[in-house]
Amino acid sequence: MGFLNEAKHLIKSNIRDYGMYIALFVIMLTFAIMTDGLFISSRNISNLLDSAGYIAVLAVGMTLVIVIRHIDLSVGFVAGFLGAVAAIFLTQMGLSVWIVIPIVLVFGIIIGLFNGFLVAKIGIPSFVATLAGMLIFRGALLNVTESTGTIIVNDDLFNALGNGFIPSLMEVNGLHLLSLIVGLIGIVLYIYSELSNRRNKVKYGFEVISPQIFIFKLVFVSFIIGYITWVLAGYNGFSWTVVIMLLIVVIYHFLTTKTVLGRNIYAVGSNPEAAHLSGINVTKITLIVFGSMGMLAALSGILFTARLQSATTTAGTLFELDAIAAAYVGGVSSAGGVGKVTGAIIGAIVMASLSSGMNLLGVGISYQYMIRGAVLAAAVIFDVMTRKQRA
């Protein structure tokens, strides 16, 4: 099979995985042309990734919730409420950042486990259980912020999570050295991971792509990582938000692809009854996934509060819908059992790119909502069509 024919076959047979990357490339290229290159400037790309950070973190957790055929509508106001709790601990109680962050993350886990308990043990539909949670935590957020309206956070270490950048060490031709090193390490780890996976597939007799396509893939992805690193290094380097987002992706990608827990999560999503009959504890998996979602909601609230350097009465509004949209655009299936955490991040970046590009072009907010809604609808239609083709 020729190079082009094999490439076409791979894209066609893996359209769910590759479609989101193609969509992101087209969106970025279009806005780059329409804004005369302003869209892909170092400053805008850095701001775009930072603005996507707290939604991307939520989207990772939401992807796993949707994979097991549930939904969590409470995460937006859980994030807003726990962000406000973090602000209160820092400002009114004078606690250290190193104490506040673990406490808030534990609160998030407890809230997530309670949602999971209502769904898995009591049998309440997740839509209803988490809708109740959304209302409860919206009220809780208003309650803790009503006296001041806004809680200003002056802790520089905490605020750096949303606005700070990793140290430069030194600059090379105007580029941040440490960011370049981080990008290089990312490329090396990616190549090592791909070579290791290919070796294992060959060892156990699985079909692999041709060496030419494999090398092209390594070069192309390495170029993308290198280009983004170079762009960010030309501004202020990698922000702490981006570093945290990347760590979450690496950890959750490993958990979902390399561990028994990950395989069990997808087994439950594919067929809960069959998973139960095969010995998988479906209740335990549901609790773990909702607990994880609560923890990531807490982290999202921390990032958002740090970015604003304050907690507000409206924090968390529509976060859950943005996370659900990012998960679906990133390739998660409404039927369950299908979806990748890497896709969730790409989905979040796609939605952030749309907002950023339209803002640069001066598109009205009313049209922005309609366009983002159309993109979400297109993603779900795409999911339904691909499932019908497989069937």
Side-chain angles (χ1 to χ4, degrees), residues 19-30:
M20 70 194 88
Y21 295 99
I22 295 170
L24 178 60
F25 177 76
V26 170
I27 288 169
M28 297 191 81
L29 180 63
T30 301

Side-chain angles (χ1 to χ4, degrees), residues 126-187:
S126 59
F127 182 91
V128 178
T130 58
L131 178 60
M134 180 178 79
L135 296 173
I136 290 168
F137 288 106
R138 183 177 188 180
L141 171 63
L142 291 173
N143 184 263
V144 298
T145 57
E146 66 182 353
S147 59
T148 57
T150 299
I151 304 170
I152 305 297
V153 179
N154 293 316
D155 191 298
D156 292 336
L157 184 58
F158 180 83
N159 290 339
L161 294 174
N163 299 284
F165 298 84
I166 64 175
S168 173
L169 297 184
M170 62 179 289
E171 290 194 3
V172 180
N173 293 327
L175 301 175
H176 284 234
L177 178 61
L178 185 56
S179 295
L180 292 176
I181 292 172
V182 170
L184 182 61
I185 291 171
I187 291 172

Side-chain angles (χ1 to χ4, degrees), residues 84-134:
V85 169
I88 290 170
F89 282 166
L90 289 165
T91 57
Q92 297 177 19
M93 296 186 181
L95 296 179
S96 163
V97 171
W98 303 106
I99 296 174
V100 170
I101 291 176
I103 289 175
V104 171
L105 292 179
V106 170
F107 283 170
I109 293 171
I110 293 170
I111 291 168
L113 288 174
F114 182 71
N115 282 337
F117 175 80
L118 293 178
V119 173
K121 286 284 191 180
I122 307 299
I124 301 175
S126 59
F127 182 91
V128 178
T130 58
L131 178 60
M134 180 178 79

Side-chain angles (χ1 to χ4, degrees), residues 180-362:
L180 292 176
I181 292 172
V182 170
L184 182 61
I185 291 171
I187 291 172
V188 170
L189 289 176
Y190 167 73
I191 293 174
Y192 173 78
S193 173
E194 288 294 317
L195 288 171
S196 178
N197 287 338
R198 184 179 176 87
R199 238 185 344 259
N200 288 333
K201 285 183 178 180
V202 171
K203 181 180 176 181
Y204 293 106
F206 289 104
E207 184 181 355
V208 294
I209 58 179
S210 68
Q212 295 92 334
I213 291 286
F214 181 69
I215 291 171
F216 175 78
K217 179 183 175 183
L218 290 183
V219 171
F220 181 74
V221 174
S222 297
F223 171 78
I224 295 298
I225 296 172
Y227 176 75
I228 293 173
T229 300
W230 177 73
V231 167
L232 294 178
Y235 181 52
N236 284 322
F238 284 101
S239 68
W240 286 114
T241 297
V242 171
V243 170
I244 291 168
M245 184 170 68
L246 292 175
L247 283 174
I248 292 296
V249 173
V250 170
I251 291 168
Y252 274 80
H253 179 68
F254 176 80
L255 286 174
T256 53
T257 60
K258 304 294 184 183
T259 66
V260 173
L261 173 62
R263 288 192 288 273
N264 288 347
I265 288 172
Y266 284 95
V268 169
S270 297
N271 192 323
E273 293 78 15
H276 176 71
L277 292 173
S278 65
I280 296 173
N281 190 331
V282 177
T283 299
K284 178 182 174 183
I285 294 298
T286 305
L287 287 169
I288 289 172
V289 170
F290 273 95
S292 161
M293 181 75 261
M295 182 191 70
L296 292 176
L299 179 58
S300 175
I302 289 169
L303 291 175
F304 185 72
T305 302
R307 182 166 174 78
L308 290 187
Q309 301 182 23
S310 62
T312 67
T313 55
T314 58
T317 305
L318 297 181
F319 281 17
E320 68 283 346
L321 299 186
D322 285 337
I324 292 168
Y328 274 113
V329 170
V332 74
S333 173
S334 54
V338 175
K340 295 180 178 179
V341 295
T342 48
I345 296 296
I346 298 300
I349 294 174
V350 166
M351 301 306 282
S353 296
L354 284 171
S355 296
S356 175
M358 289 187 289
N359 284 333
L360 289 175
L361 291 173

Side-chain angles (χ1 to χ4, degrees), residues 27-29 31-33 35-41 44-45 48 352-354 356-358 360:
I27 288 169
M28 297 191 81
L29 180 63
F31 282 133
I33 293 170
T35 61
D36 295 325
L38 182 61
F39 180 81
I40 55 172
S41 65
N44 191 62
I45 293 295
L48 187 157
S353 296
L354 284 171
S356 175
M358 289 187 289
L360 289 175

